[in-house]
Amino acid sequence: MPKVALVMGSESDLSVLTPAISTLKRFGVELVVRVLSAHRTPAAAAEFAKTAEEQGIEVIIAAAGKAAHLPGVLAAYTVLPVIGVPVQSSALDGMDALLSIVQMPTGIPVATVAINGAQNAALLATQILSVRYSALRGALRGHRASMTAQVEESDKRVAQEVSSIE
Ligand code: RP5
């Protein structure tokens, strides 16, 4: 079974990550969810990343706000792919977290999604896993098809609403 770790810097990040959790569960991905802080529990964060492969984890999603060094620190201790989610939890509206995550120095990449873009992090993790687990490719195509159907319905609904406007 494919396995993803979802790591957040603080329990206060959890609400932002709920869409990622439900998306991964919907795709049948096994989840390890941890609260680990790069500055409050640095040893535990390092230990987690060092042993992630042994734990059977294949992709790590790491979410953090403010200075947001958690994804980069985890990435430094593992060669597993790390996807960073900048969390909007500061007076700077998440721009601080976005820049901290996206501007990783050369050599230790962190794939970065939008501020609070947890669902895209889950989808990207699933796409990475789908290279190995071909059933996920079908599930991802199904997900895209349902988005297409939703937009087509919206298109018809809006056309109807517009035609009734005088
Ligand atoms: C970061 O600081 C966390 O990821 C969180 O987004 C932010 C605030 O954390 P708390 O003070 O709410 O624990 O480390």
Side-chain angles (χ1 to χ4, degrees):
M1 195 173 180
K3 194 167 174 181
V4 164
L6 188 60
V7 185
M8 64 200 88
S10 166
E11 189 177 353
S12 64
D13 299 323
L14 180 59
S15 59
V16 166
L17 298 174
T18 309
I21 294 168
S22 37
T23 298
L24 289 164
K25 283 188 175 176
R26 210 173 335 118
F27 281 111
V29 172
E30 190 182 340
L31 258 182
V32 174
V33 179
R34 298 289 309 270
V35 178
L36 293 167
S37 167
H39 47 278
R40 291 170 178 155
T41 63
E47 182 61 18
F48 169 79
K50 281 182 202 169
T51 59
E53 265 187 81
E54 291 163 29
Q55 297 172 54
I57 292 161
E58 294 165 287
V59 180
I60 297 174
I61 297 172
K66 298 185 176 168
H69 32 221
L70 180 65
V73 167
L74 297 180
Y77 285 107
T78 180
V79 293
L80 293 174
V82 176
I83 302 169
V85 183
V87 174
Q88 186 178 4
S89 63
S90 71
L92 299 180
D93 274 341
M95 278 304 290
D96 40 3
L98 172 65
L99 296 177
S100 305
I101 296 173
V102 82
Q103 286 286 61
M104 276 299 289
T106 301
I108 307 293
V110 171
T112 310
V113 295
I115 297 169
N116 287 357
Q119 195 172 8
N120 265 4
L123 290 169
L124 181 55
T126 307
Q127 288 179 221
I128 293 168
L129 291 166
S130 77
V131 172
R132 176 170 179 200
Y133 300 94
S134 58
L136 288 177
R137 289 203 286 278
L140 284 160
R141 285 195 190 98
H143 177 256
R144 298 240 175 140
S146 78
M147 284 193 297
T148 301
Q150 277 172 24
V151 174
E152 286 168 355
E153 273 173 35
S154 295
D155 186 38
K156 283 186 200 135
R157 203 167 39 242
V158 167
Q160 251 174 6
E161 278 181 35
V162 168
S163 69
S164 69
I165 295 171
E166 297 183 359

